[in-house]
Amino acid sequence: QQQVKQSPQSLIVQKGGIPIINCAYENTAFDYFPWYQQFPGKGPALLIAIRPDVSEKKEGRFTISFNKSAKQFSLHIMDSQPGDSATYFCAASSPQTGGGADGLTFGKGTHLIIQP
Amino acid sequence: NAGVTQTPKFRILKIGQSMTLQCTQDMNHNYMYWYRQDPGMGLKLIYYSVGAGITDKGEVPNGYNVSRSTTEDFPLRLELAAPSQTSVYFCASTPRLNTEAFFGQGTRLTVV
């Protein structure tokens, strides 16, 4: 069964701190690893994504670190702000089609609170 | 652009009733998906479609049906609603495989 394991379930960080959320996957066919941000009452929105040909990607204050050999990837939020308080989901997908392989396999989510 | 639009936003159903959750996208995306989100469980794929006339089951298809008669619309049908179908349902679309998925605002469904 395809799985993406995400930790921690919840995280509280002071403003300006660097929350780190980790994910691990099993399926070596996965080759697209996005992070989604979700605010209450809203749908998930893409935050940043990485493919396995690079080990790190930065977009503004958000960084993905990717370790292909360990089958792990993580999200770092630099200079975190109260407005970053949300639920974050890691996900993965593969280019295989059919058999339910289409679509994203999601982690269970991390509820992040940034305290002022 | 509206993106992905879902209706209704909220609905309460009685056990055994049926309903259709509507999803439409205006981005001309071939790929569309239905997910359900349960507290602490992430999102799980119910059904997906790779184009008009083509649908397939995801991880949790039991109790649901879909159709895709046009590129824009991908309705999800619940027959004989059960309490286990209480969830938040999200529709999403992508222009091609393995790229950014665009999500609707969700439909919160309660079955009592």
Side-chain angles (χ1 to χ4, degrees), chain A residues 38-42 85-87 111:
Chain A
Q38 185 180 31
F39 294 105
K42 303 294 185 182
S85 298
T87 300
H111 183 51

Side-chain angles (χ1 to χ4, degrees), chain A residues 1 31-32 36 38 42-44 46 51 89 93-95 97-98 100 102-104 107-108, chain B residues 33 35 37 40-43 45 48 50 56-57 59 90 97-101 103-105:
Chain A
Q1 181 180 358
D31 69 349
Y32 176 65
Y36 280 82
Q38 185 180 31
K42 303 294 185 182
L46 181 68
R51 298 190 187 270
F89 293 96
S93 65
S94 80
T97 61
D102 286 283
L104 293 160
K108 293 186 177 181
Chain B
Y33 308 85
Y35 293 89
Q37 182 178 25
M41 296 300 294
L43 287 82
L45 183 65
Y48 66 96
V50 301
D56 206 349
K57 297 177 180 179
E59 183 181 357
F90 288 100
L97 290 176
N98 258 17
T99 58
E100 178 180 1
F103 284 82
Q105 296 286 292

Side-chain angles (χ1 to χ4, degrees), chain B:
Chain B
N1 285 340
V4 179
T5 303
Q6 292 183 237
T7 57
K9 287 186 169 53
F10 304 94
R11 183 73 185 267
I12 298 175
L13 276 184
K14 293 184 178 179
I15 294 171
Q17 287 185 322
S18 60
M19 75 165 293
T20 299
L21 283 67
Q22 301 292 344
C23 174
T24 188
Q25 52 93 7
D26 61 359
M27 299 174 282
N28 201 33
H29 289 171
N30 284 326
Y31 300 90
M32 297 189 73
Y33 308 85
W34 275 105
Y35 293 89
R36 60 176 287 170
Q37 182 178 25
D38 299 302
M41 296 300 294
L43 287 82
K44 293 188 182 295
L45 183 65
I46 304 172
Y47 270 96
Y48 66 96
S49 170
V50 301
I54 306 170
T55 63
D56 206 349
K57 297 177 180 179
E59 183 181 357
V60 289
N62 291 343
Y64 307 95
N65 274 302
V66 294
S67 59
R68 184 95 181 271
S69 56
T70 67
T71 298
E72 295 78 20
D73 300 308
F74 189 40
L76 177 71
R77 178 81 175 164
L78 278 71
E79 305 282 2
L80 298 175
S84 61
Q85 294 178 305
T86 294
S87 189
V88 182
Y89 292 85
F90 288 100
C91 179
S93 71
T94 66
R96 52 193 175 278
L97 290 176
N98 258 17
T99 58
E100 178 180 1
F102 296 83
F103 284 82
Q105 296 286 292
T107 295
R108 182 175 294 276
L109 175 67
T110 303
V111 181
V112 297

Side-chain angles (χ1 to χ4, degrees), chain A residues 1-4 24-33 52 66-72 92-96, chain B residues 98:
Chain A
Q1 181 180 358
Q2 297 181 1
Q3 281 189 336
V4 176
Y25 63 97
E26 300 174 353
N27 186 352
T28 54
F30 286 150
D31 69 349
Y32 176 65
F33 302 90
F66 184 81
N67 186 327
K68 186 175 181 178
S69 60
K71 293 187 285 186
Q72 295 175 346
S93 65
S94 80
Q96 296 170 346
Chain B
N98 258 17

Side-chain angles (χ1 to χ4, degrees), chain A residues 49-114:
Chain A
I50 197 168
R51 298 190 187 270
D53 52 342
V54 296
S55 60
E56 186 176 275
K57 183 175 181 179
K58 293 183 180 180
E59 288 187 2
R61 296 184 294 109
F62 301 94
T63 299
I64 298 180
S65 297
F66 184 81
N67 186 327
K68 186 175 181 178
S69 60
K71 293 187 285 186
Q72 295 175 346
F73 57 111
S74 60
L75 175 70
H76 301 228
I77 305 176
M78 310 302 287
D79 187 28
S80 58
Q81 301 296 314
D84 296 329
S85 298
T87 300
Y88 292 81
F89 293 96
C90 63
S93 65
S94 80
Q96 296 170 346
T97 61
D102 286 283
L104 293 160
T105 298
F106 283 88
K108 293 186 177 181
T110 296
H111 183 51
L112 174 65
I113 296 174
I114 308 298

